[in-house]
Amino acid sequence: SYPEQLHGGINANWASGSSWSNPITIRGHAGERVVINPSASGDFFDIIYVAPGQASFLSFENLEVTGENLQMHQGGNIMRFEQDARVIGCLLRNHLPLDPYNGQPFPPHSNGVLAGPNVTVHNTEIHHTLYGIYLSKDNSMVENSYIHDTGGYGIHSFDGGNDPSTGQPWVCAHAPNIIRNNTIARPGLNGPTPQTGGGMVVGQTNGSQIYNNIFLDAACAGCTGITVYNRTCNTQVFNNTIVGNPICLITGDTAQNTDIRNNICFGNGQDIQNNGSGSTINANNPNSRNPRFVDPPNGNYRLQTTTPRSDALDAAANLSSVFTGDITSPTTGLVRPATGNWDQGAYEMEVSGGG
């Protein structure tokens, strides 16, 4: 365990890799996990920080990074990268100190990962942060990760800035991000009141993909499983399982050409709410129909293949002709078929005569 920061503005002189074939890797030995747990007084903005232009092609692997001994500053981050970084097999968590007046946890103030362009987060767990992952730019990917008990969105894929040439917000200007094969549970928990958020939000990108994810139990009033925000174009939202949120999925009134297919909505306060233009909404499980998961109380959201058989099996459109990403179903490891119907939701099941 290391009681210190790795901060490019304070104590870390980062070396730079030359490419992803030749990165600089910071990792624990196989079978071990290095714990970075700073012990200091005062506000902390970032625990691991790579400053703009300081280094590229850095890979952080098999690390546990925690702010449990700190009062993380509002707007701080457990990890912050401006470009070209990977986070693989890590655990990132924040401290929730108790309010001395009521004994309840303070809302989390810091993000798990704040990332610029060309960042990958893979097979990582993040919890008790403000946003789990805040993608402020484009060409990034979050996959195979578990993000839970956040104060705001589990994943915030949204610049929020303005085009300097016009002074107006960016409109569909950023290259796509890919969000796939993740589970995001209980966003909005212990967040500030009133709190907006939910599983994830995507905004200002063109062509982002959100697929094979599970979005569960957003804890704040008005939260969504997925928000496709304003000034966002050509977003593909395919084969997600969205359960127990106030709103299943919503599109903003200036979202354009959102493709929403093959998702399971169930047990949410409201079904899909489409306010955008040019949206395709097809082959989704309606919120009122029970898709018959195997064992939801124990986290098994696969579809039931025995009697009573799930109506979501073989009920989805085959998107092989339009899908550009890896369409392997998480956990089951089954590739969605090239012909014939797919199964709705995040899991493709092996059943006779269909998907």
Side-chain angles (χ1 to χ4, degrees):
S1 181
Y2 295 86
E4 58 190 316
Q5 292 174 281
L6 296 174
H7 195 292
I10 299 175
N11 65 347
N13 184 18
W14 299 106
S16 186
S18 59
S19 68
W20 284 126
S21 299
N22 186 34
I24 298 295
T25 301
I26 302 94
R27 67 179 171 212
H29 288 292
E32 299 179 2
R33 171 166 275 171
V34 171
V35 178
I36 300 173
N37 184 11
S39 179
S41 60
D43 288 345
F44 266 57
F45 278 94
D46 305 294
I47 297 176
I48 294 179
Y49 175 48
V50 183
Q54 189 174 41
S56 298
F57 303 110
L58 300 180
S59 187
F60 296 84
E61 304 175 15
N62 195 29
L63 305 176
E64 179 177 340
V65 188
T66 173
E68 67 178 16
N69 293 322
L70 308 174
Q71 176 61 54
M72 294 292 290
H73 195 281
Q74 178 80 34
N77 308 280
I78 293 176
M79 288 183 166
R80 180 180 174 187
F81 314 111
E82 299 300 327
Q83 62 184 32
D84 299 321
R86 296 189 303 207
V87 179
I88 300 174
C90 293
L91 170 62
L92 311 180
R93 58 190 177 92
N94 202 1
H95 180 42
L96 282 179
L98 295 181
D99 187 325
Y101 295 101
N102 59 25
Q104 299 299 309
F106 280 121
H109 291 306
S110 62
N111 304 312
V113 176
L114 174 63
N118 307 315
V119 170
T120 296
V121 179
H122 171 80
N123 193 30
T124 287
E125 181 179 357
I126 302 173
H127 64 87
H128 291 100
T129 58
L130 181 53
Y131 297 120
I133 299 172
Y134 194 115
L135 300 176
S136 62
K137 296 296 181 183
D138 47 16
N139 282 322
S140 293
M141 177 184 294
V142 181
E143 62 177 0
N144 303 105
S145 293
Y146 179 36
I147 303 167
H148 60 99
D149 302 297
T150 56
Y153 287 106
I155 299 175
H156 187 285
S157 173
F158 181 31
D159 183 331
N162 294 333
D163 182 343
S165 66
T166 64
Q168 299 300 310
W170 294 105
V171 178
C172 308
H174 297 305
N177 292 317
I178 297 175
I179 313 298
R180 66 186 186 187
N181 301 351
N182 305 286
T183 295
I184 300 176
R186 299 177 300 280
L189 187 70
N190 293 320
T193 302
Q195 173 70 20
T196 58
M200 76 159 293
V201 59
V202 59
Q204 299 182 326
T205 61
N206 189 346
S208 286
Q209 295 183 330
I210 305 164
Y211 63 95
N212 285 358
N213 302 285
I214 299 174
F215 297 95
L216 302 173
D217 301 327
C220 47
C223 281
T224 59
I226 301 172
T227 297
V228 180
Y229 197 60
N230 294 330
R231 302 178 293 277
T232 306
C233 296
N234 303 309
T235 306
Q236 295 177 326
V237 186
F238 298 154
N239 284 97
N240 299 282
T241 295
I242 310 168
V243 176
N245 306 281
I247 302 172
C248 175
L249 184 155
I250 193 167
T251 62
D253 56 10
T254 59
Q256 302 174 38
N257 304 324
T258 307
D259 194 345
I260 304 168
R261 287 189 273 180
N262 297 357
N263 303 282
I264 290 177
C265 293
F266 178 64
N268 303 285
Q270 298 180 51
D271 210 326
I272 295 171
Q273 305 294 306
N274 177 46
N275 303 302
S277 61
S279 300
T280 298
I281 303 175
N282 187 35
N284 301 287
N285 183 82
N287 192 56
S288 59
R289 186 178 74 181
N290 188 343
R292 296 194 177 96
F293 299 122
V294 171
D295 189 9
N298 290 304
N300 189 340
Y301 289 89
R302 298 186 186 194
L303 301 174
Q304 191 165 295
T305 59
T306 57
T307 304
R309 187 176 182 271
S310 172
D311 292 332
L313 293 164
D314 304 328
N318 189 306
L319 303 180
S320 299
S321 62
V322 299
F323 208 79
T324 58
D326 178 359
I327 57 175
T328 301
S329 176
T331 306
T332 62
L334 298 176
V335 177
R336 301 193 189 274
T339 60
N341 287 354
W342 289 2
D343 297 335
Q344 292 174 332
Y347 294 110
E348 185 72 23
M349 305 304 297
E350 189 171 23
V351 288
S352 176

